[in-house]
Amino acid sequence: MNGTTPHIVQYQGSKRNLAPQILSYLPRRFNRLIEPFAGMAAITIAVSKQNRANHYLLNDLNEPLIGVLRESIETPKKLIEEYTKVWSEQLVFEMGSVEHYYKIRDDFNAGNKCAANMLYLLARCVKGAVRYSNTGMFNQSPDKRRMGTSPNNLARNVYIISNLLKGRTDFASTDYREITKEARPGDIVYMDPPYQGVCSSRDSRYFSGIKFNEFVECIDDLNRRNIDFAISYDGTCGERQYGEDLPKELGLRKIMLTAGLSSQSILLGKKETTVEALYLSRNLQNIEIHINQGEQLMLAL
């Protein structure tokens, strides 16, 4: 389990490696962590490892992703057994493992969106990147260089995550604005919108886009209700800037976090550092917890 926190499967855009930096700006204890754009729930997992919150709410508009999270946390044995069956089929599939991937993808798009199928597609697809067509079909290609996360490696992570979150987590798959309405004082809302998705009409990871003005209105509503929140949003890679700054009128503190060398730029023969922005609500702006070596090790286990 390399990286800053255990994970179910590789997922593009995950904040797993940035988790120690992000957590340094959150309180040591709070009531509930809400993730309206959960993805693979890297921040929730990191927070639970340090036992900072009592409860967790995971939401993602991509319902099959939530299915993976729900089964990983609530019924890990079932998920591992079903994933093992799907993963092992590729080893004996008459037409080869790549064609097996396309078979599972076709089954998924035909309606069999069970957690094991979703997990297998994530484990084998290029860069762990979820991509959908305009008609809502999963269309990401397989990574032909690897077979995907082995069941044994996946099981170790899944059982750890289940032990951390089982009985303490609620799940939803709805519009992020509906989820933020459930936040109450004492909760922390952590939002990691689809990369550049808040600046465009549609993001290929989702079936519909996230409009910038609606996102700003959501943040303004959290401010009015005195809800604490942190947002991973825009960023830079080399000289390129991604995303539009959130309005200064919201009164947020913007912090730049170094995410390391861009894997994409390395493939192009460049060495460019990715820097991502973290926006903090008013009550979080004076918090900065310096994580000691023991806590760093705890996150890395």
Side-chain angles (χ1 to χ4, degrees):
M1 291 180 292
N2 296 324
T4 56
T5 192
H7 66 298
I8 298 169
V9 72
Q10 177 186 347
Y11 186 74
Q12 189 178 60
S14 170
K15 294 300 182 287
R16 185 167 59 100
N17 292 331
L18 278 175
Q21 295 184 66
I22 294 172
L23 264 61
S24 71
Y25 295 98
L26 302 183
R28 286 199 179 273
R29 286 293 300 172
F30 50 95
N31 180 43
R32 180 173 58 162
L33 178 66
I34 300 174
E35 282 205 68
F37 307 95
M40 281 289 98
I43 298 303
T44 287
I45 296 166
V47 167
S48 67
K49 281 200 73 175
Q50 293 192 0
N51 196 28
R52 292 201 188 187
N54 299 318
H55 302 283
Y56 303 87
L57 173 54
L58 294 172
N59 176 76
D60 201 287
L61 192 58
N62 190 330
E63 191 170 1
L65 281 182
I66 289 297
V68 171
L69 291 172
R70 185 192 300 272
E71 290 200 14
S72 296
I73 292 167
E74 295 189 341
T75 56
K77 186 174 184 293
K78 173 178 178 287
L79 177 62
I80 292 164
E81 289 176 350
E82 293 180 353
Y83 174 80
T84 299
K85 180 180 178 180
V86 176
W87 186 91
S88 299
E89 283 176 355
Q90 68 180 318
L91 305 178
V92 295
F93 193 68
E94 184 176 358
M95 299 176 67
S97 66
V98 171
E99 289 303 317
H100 176 264
Y101 172 91
Y102 288 122
K103 173 186 177 296
I104 298 301
R105 194 179 74 175
D106 288 344
D107 289 347
F108 181 87
N109 287 331
N112 188 2
K113 301 182 188 298
C114 67
N117 281 352
M118 177 83 263
L119 187 54
Y120 174 74
L121 293 176
L122 282 173
R124 278 228 56 180
C125 72
V126 174
K127 297 181 181 179
V130 175
R131 293 291 182 267
Y132 290 94
S133 70
N134 290 331
T135 57
M137 298 291 105
F138 189 97
N139 63 359
Q140 185 62 292
S141 301
D143 187 336
K144 298 178 181 179
R145 302 167 301 172
R146 58 192 183 89
M147 307 291 281
T149 308
S150 74
N152 287 339
N153 288 339
L154 180 123
R156 285 195 292 269
N157 279 5
V158 166
Y159 280 123
I160 289 172
I161 292 167
S162 178
N163 287 336
L164 291 171
L165 291 166
K166 188 173 184 178
R168 306 170 67 191
T169 308
D170 295 314
F171 306 89
S173 181
T174 189
D175 187 277
Y176 70 98
R177 291 166 294 179
E178 295 302 314
I179 292 301
T180 58
K181 288 177 183 178
E182 297 188 20
R184 299 291 180 266
D187 296 338
I188 300 288
V189 178
Y190 171 71
M191 290 192 281
D192 181 20
Y195 198 47
Q196 297 189 65
V198 289
C199 304
S200 62
S201 60
R202 185 181 183 278
D203 187 281
S204 58
R205 284 173 284 181
Y206 293 84
F207 306 116
S208 60
I210 299 169
K211 296 180 180 178
F212 180 82
N213 63 324
E214 293 178 348
F215 188 60
V216 170
E217 289 173 3
C218 174
I219 298 169
D220 190 46
D221 177 68
L222 292 173
N223 271 335
R224 287 196 304 269
R225 295 192 290 122
N226 197 32
I227 306 297
D228 297 332
F229 58 88
I231 305 170
S232 291
Y233 190 56
D234 51 22
T236 63
C237 180
E239 297 180 353
R240 299 183 300 279
Q241 179 170 344
Y242 301 106
E244 179 180 347
D245 283 351
L246 292 174
K248 293 182 179 179
E249 292 77 13
L250 292 171
L252 310 181
R253 179 187 175 192
K254 182 179 180 179
I255 299 162
M256 303 307 293
L257 306 178
T258 300
L261 291 175
S262 165
S263 58
Q264 183 63 33
S265 67
I266 291 173
L267 290 174
L268 297 174
K270 303 177 182 179
K271 288 187 177 180
E272 296 178 325
T273 299
T274 299
V275 179
E276 299 189 14
L278 182 71
Y279 289 87
L280 302 174
S281 60
R282 294 185 184 93
N283 292 337
L284 300 184
Q285 292 180 13
N286 295 320
I287 295 176
E288 184 172 0
I289 299 171
H290 297 283
I291 300 177
N292 61 41
Q293 187 175 12
E295 288 174 313
Q296 288 280 17
L297 289 171
M298 183 179 178
L299 278 170
L301 289 175

